[in-house]
Amino acid sequence: GFGAYFCYRLLLGFLGNAVSCLISVCFGVVLYAVMVLLTKSLTAEEIESIPKGKKIVSLLRKLHLVK
């Protein structure tokens, strides 16, 4: 939440409300996904159970984010 809010406040002066909000939401989603991977909240098996999960796990293994 804080990362998205900080991003929004940073961009608000440059880009206006709507664009800042859209970029901040996207940033929040990416930040959440990274934190889930770094804290190892999901296992490779759980990720494989979602659509395109095997491709995602393959990519994450190349990036050394899952075992």
Side-chain angles (χ1 to χ4, degrees):
F2 179 74
Y5 177 75
F6 181 73
C7 180
Y8 172 76
R9 295 300 295 177
L10 182 69
L11 296 174
L12 184 59
F14 301 107
L15 301 175
N17 187 45
V19 176
S20 296
C21 185
L22 180 63
I23 292 172
S24 297
V25 168
C26 293
F27 178 75
V29 168
V30 170
L31 184 61
Y32 180 80
V34 168
M35 293 308 296
V36 164
L37 293 172
L38 290 177
T39 59
K40 301 189 187 318
S41 297
L42 290 175
T43 64
E45 293 79 25
E46 291 171 328
I47 297 170
E48 285 177 348
S49 69
I50 64 173
K52 304 285 185 184
K54 292 184 190 250
K55 284 187 175 185
I56 294 169
V57 169
S58 174
L59 174 66
L60 294 174
R61 284 192 173 130
K62 288 179 184 175
L63 297 173
H64 303 288
L65 293 174
V66 295
K67 293 182 180 182

